[in-house]
Structures are given as structure tokens and as C-alpha cells.
Amino acid sequence: MNNYPKIGIRPTIDGREGGVRESLEDQVMNMAKSAAKFISENLKYPNGSFVECIISDSCIGGVAEAAACADKFEKAGVGVSLTVTPCWCYGSETIDMNPSIPKAIWGFNGTERPGAVYLAAALAGHNQKGIPAFGIYGKDVQDAGDTSIPEDVQEKLLRFMKGGLAVAMMKGKSYLSMGVVSMGIAGSIVNEDFFQEYLGMRNEYIDMTEFLRRMDQGIYDNDEFKKALAWVKENCKEGKDYNTTPKTREQKDAEWDKVVKMAMIARDLMVGNPNLVKMGYREEGLGHNAILAGFQGQRQWTDYQPNGDFLEAILCSSFDWNGKRSPYLVATENDSLNGVVMLFGYLLTNTAQMFSDIRTYWSPEAIERVSGKKLEGLAANGLIHLINSGASALDFSGQQQIDGKPAVKPYWKISDDEVDQCLKATSWCPAVSEYFRGGGFSSEFLTKGGMPITVSRINLVKGIGPILQIAEGYSVEIPEDVNKMLTDRTNPSWPTTWFAPRLTGDGAFKDVYSVMANWGANHCASSYGHIGADLITLAAMLRIPVNMHNIDKEKIYRPSAWSLHGMEKEGADYRACENYGPLYK
């Protein structure tokens, strides 16, 4: 058994006994079972196990059965609610009234009974009571006995469930701030109201001196440290040292010892370690229940201690010295807002996420001027250089494959050979001293081209609150000599991803320059796959409006009430989010 949130299925029915209800019992319950089977076969938790569905003990014909179902769901740990019915039911008497659990209603499109009528009535009840719900209704009429789920219904079910599970998995967890504000970066000014009211999370804090205490006093698993250091020496090859005065081998070896310990300590701080409890450090062994963390690093730490690049890169990856495993999400420079979208992407996909600066827009003209070459294909309209100080997940080297193409996969689908290839594609360059006086090592790789990528960011705006921006596009490979010319102008010891957003010819996506110009901060998070529509659904659940995206209108899926806030989708999104306010306020 796992402690992940379950999905609750609520089969609602016409409560009139003496002929009507009895004739519908089997059909209604079979619809619930069909939905549960489809969901469980198509969605997995972050540990690779199939999502678990809980079905109400009986069909729900009125408020007494609705209350009994709610009681069962609470005891079972249900975090997402789906009501299904092929028939008329008593609208507001049968709906799910829990205001903090994401909920949807699937009304069967059939002619024998008015499932669509109930769907409309129930959604009206939700909207009138201020409890938004998603509506699901198939385009094509089905026969009464048809237990299949049409493709358009499947798409909405999965989109809703992914978002709902993400909401439920965040709730009650912690963001661990390791240090405080990094170099005045606004995202690392941790906003507790945002985490508490919008995400249902709590905030935990440690000073970075806790790393020194644990290293000095041996509060880490020494056997694991020896194992980890041996693995690092075998698998993490050093890259070019770009410093004018390189450190000695002895100094570098001492820094490797420290950065490995730092990675172990950061993980222990997040999730605890039973081995520390056995060593007599019960408090330290419990951890902070953190699903997400951030490491300040610059500058108070990095001016005299090794940087956090290895810590962040290896924890965010899908593997380490203990083998393949779920990523531990750590935001560079304690940028909690960038960390949140890393968390969104991870919970929607179960894959590693990439933290980057959205550093430079390279126009076609500038590329040709510098390199003498005119790029074609995905790079023809210009590129955005995604790069940061070596803290990106190694998965984004692009060495994993799906159908022979570069990809990022859930850890349980990654082969041992793919792990080896990610490690071989990565060099660990000694940290550049002008940035990091205390040393350390930065990962360096070049992301393979052709991967579908979704870049996103949360920003806080005074008077509005959080807003989300999204850009779908692709990683791009450019000629080796051009890549060298461009990366040498910034920092070749850091990982590089060349990103080409998908353009629409309008607004922020008129051209690549406009994407860069409209981005709301210096950082972004990248997720493998085009998940923009899923992010929009998740944002609506949390009441976070979207100010910038390049998603097809047909794929945008928000609660029914959003359409009652105006005819223009994005303006209605802002008004609905303002009207309902944060999910947990």
C-alpha cells in the first residue's frame, strides 16, 4: 500500500424507487467501474504504481448516500472526486460538497436517459454554491449499454485526473527553504501566503550552517557516503577547468567530498533518513516532509564553500549511487516560484524537470553575424538559450529514448544503459571562481534536439497574486562549431539547451523575441512533452490565472463556471480566479 491520494468515483442515480432506480442500478455502477478501470490502467503515481480508485459503496440517489460516500472517501484518503451518471439525478442533493477537492462530473451522452440534463443541473448547483466543477460530456450519442469511453471523454478524464492528483499530492507537504534570499532574486523571497492558500503547503526553513554542522559532526550515513563517493569517482568525469589559476588535485578531491555530502544532507533534510535515527539522530532523521526544496547558495555560502550545483543536479535527476529513483526537486538559488512549476511538471508527468535561466534570445541575424552561418529548420526564427550554473537534471542531456527519439522518461522506464549514457554525456567542470569563490563542480552537457518541451514559470504580481506563463516548443541541435561560438560567449562549463518555442503569429508568440520579451522572470522550468494544456487545467484548479500560452483553444479545459465569467477565455480565467480566490483560503 502507498499513501498517495486516491481517486473517488461517485455513481449518482435517479432516487425514485419502485421501478426507476432499480432499472438503472447496474448501468450506473458499471459506468463507475468502467471509469475506475480506465483511470487505473492509464495513470501512475510517482513511484510507478497504478493509481487507485475508490468507488462509493452504493449508487447515490440523495443526500444520505452522498454523505455516506463522503465519509468513506475521507477515511480512504480520496483527493480527487469524479461523479458519473447516465441518467437524471437530483442535482444539488447528490453533488460533492467538499470545496477543496478537485471535482468533475461525467454525464453520459445517451438518448434513453437524460445524463446530460443531470450534468447541466449539477454544474448549475456547483456554480450557484461557489464550488467549481469540471463538466465531461461526449460529443457522440452512445447506446445505453455501451460501457466504452469515447476518445474525447478519455482526454478530459485524464487531463482532469492528472491535475487533480497533482493538487492532492501537494496538499500538506512542505517547501524547504535551505537558506534565504539569493542575490535579491524575487522568487527566493518565499511567500508563505502563496504556498499555504494556493497550494495547501507549509513552509520549512533551515540556515545553510546546518550543512556545516552535519558535515563537522558526522550527521550523515558514512557507509552511504563511501558508496556515493566511489560511484561519483567512477561515473562523474571532470570537465575542462576554465579558471586561470586551477586548484590542486588535493583541493578538488576535498571539494568532491564536500559536494557529495551536501547532496546527501540536502536529501536527508527534505525527506529524512531512517539510518540517522539508528545513529541516534532522531530529529534529523525525520526530515521536513518536503516535496520541494530550494538551495540559496549564492552568495553567503558559495563565497567560501563549494557551490550547490552537484547537489541540485544529482538530486533533480532520476538516478544516483543508489540506482534509479524518483527525483528530489531542488530549486537553484532558492527560487521557490520556479520550484513550484518544477513541481507542477513533475506531478503531471512523473519525470525529472530542468531548472534554467532563460538567458539569451539569439535572433537569426545575430547568429549569422557571429557564426557566419544561417540556421534552418526549428532554429530558423531564432533561439532562446536555456542555461544555468550546472544544476540541471542530467536526464535533459537527451540520452534516454522513446521510439528511437531523445526523451525524458519516468525513472521506472529508464534502462541502465540510458543512465550510463546520461552520465557519459555530462562533464563536471570545476566551478568558475569569478562566480563561485568557494569552488565546487558544475555539470556541463548539450541537450539533444527534437525533444518536445514545455517551459513554464509562476510569477507573483502585486494586486493580482500568482500568474502562470507557458511556452511549448522543442529543443534544437545546432552545428557544433556554432554552438561553441555561442556558448563561449557566456559560460561553456554549464549545461546548454537551445529552445525554439512554437509560434502562433500573435501576441507573446508573434515571434521568438516576443516570447523572451514577455517572460516574467530570469528563471524557467522545463518539462519533457507538450503538457501546456495539463498545466492550464491544474492552474484553474488552484485559481492561478494564465497570462501567456501557445496552447490550442480546443485543448483548454477549465471548470464549467469559467465560461460564465465572459466570452473571451483568458479574460474569463482572470475574473474566475479573482472571484473564487485561492483554493485553500
Side-chain angles (χ1 to χ4, degrees), residues 485-496:
M485 290 178 191
L486 303 189
T487 55
D488 280 353
R489 294 172 68 99
T490 174
N491 196 316
S493 68
W494 298 346
T496 277

Side-chain angles (χ1 to χ4, degrees), residues 10 12 31 81-85 91 94-96 103-108 115 118-126 131-137 157 160 557:
R10 307 173 70 256
T12 56
M31 187 177 177
S81 170
L82 173 67
T83 297
V84 301
T85 191
T94 57
I95 63 175
D96 181 352
K103 49 188 57 63
I105 303 171
W106 174 22
F108 185 81
Y118 169 71
L119 174 62
L123 289 175
H126 276 286
I131 309 174
F134 288 77
I136 301 174
Y137 184 60
L157 278 174
F160 167 76
Y557 185 40

Side-chain angles (χ1 to χ4, degrees), residues 207-224:
D207 189 273
M208 287 182 292
T209 55
E210 178 65 4
F211 283 85
L212 295 178
R213 183 181 80 91
R214 294 195 185 201
M215 285 190 280
D216 291 346
Q217 298 181 5
I219 307 176
Y220 55 87
D221 186 334
N222 194 53
D223 290 336
E224 184 186 4

Side-chain angles (χ1 to χ4, degrees), residues 44-49 324 326 349-350 409-414:
K44 289 187 176 182
Y45 293 120
N47 68 354
S49 63
K324 291 168 282 189
S326 297
T349 66
N350 295 327
K409 300 191 289 192
Y411 79 89
W412 62 86
K413 290 187 176 182
I414 302 172

